[in-house]
Amino acid sequence: MSDHLVAGPVAGIEPPYYAVVFTSLRTEGDRGYGETADLMDKLVQEIPGYLGHESARTPGGLGITVSYFRDEESIVAWRSRLEHQRAQRRGRAEWYESYSTHVAKVERSYSFQRDSGEAGPGRDGDSLAGH
């Protein structure tokens, strides 16, 4: 995903859902990375079951993107998308020194928003089942 910081965390999502954690170390230079990342940001939103993502990158090139999906079928649909596969191949050839991907099922989710008003599902640890 892009070399920019998302303005804030994704709001609380009612579990269960899946998190795909992509951690990468970039090579130097852009070589079309930013444009491709922007395209991937748009295309992933077309996947049924896509819930959002958060992304951050250090000045040294370490990046972490966490994408959220409702179910495993949604992850497979994104992984199977031809444009995404092309971007992955280009990433291995040009943009990444290394990367890792982790897929996890989220069973509990908590969030906090200053001045957000009353707590509700996803707002504090006591409001979600399974805590």
Side-chain angles (χ1 to χ4, degrees), residues 1-98:
M1 307 283 162
S2 303
D3 277 349
H4 63 276
L5 296 177
V6 174
V10 171
I13 301 167
E14 187 66 33
Y17 58 93
Y18 288 81
V20 178
V21 182
F22 179 73
T23 305
S24 63
L25 183 60
R26 283 283 316 276
T27 58
E28 289 189 34
D30 184 81
R31 295 179 309 286
Y33 178 86
E35 181 180 325
T36 301
D38 289 343
L39 177 61
M40 294 302 105
D41 284 350
K42 290 176 186 160
L43 292 178
V44 72
Q45 293 178 41
E46 297 174 2
I47 300 296
Y50 168 76
L51 301 172
H53 73 273
E54 302 159 318
S55 188
R57 184 166 300 283
T58 68
L62 176 67
I64 300 173
T65 297
V66 182
S67 300
Y68 303 101
F69 295 88
R70 178 54 55 203
D71 50 39
E72 291 183 271
E73 293 80 12
S74 303
I75 297 168
V76 170
W78 176 235
R79 191 176 64 214
S80 301
R81 182 89 187 235
L82 185 59
E83 298 91 343
H84 186 215
Q85 291 176 354
R86 287 182 184 142
Q88 288 174 320
R89 285 193 295 274
R90 193 165 177 202
R92 287 188 293 273
E94 298 180 50
W95 298 321
Y96 300 117
E97 291 292 338
S98 62

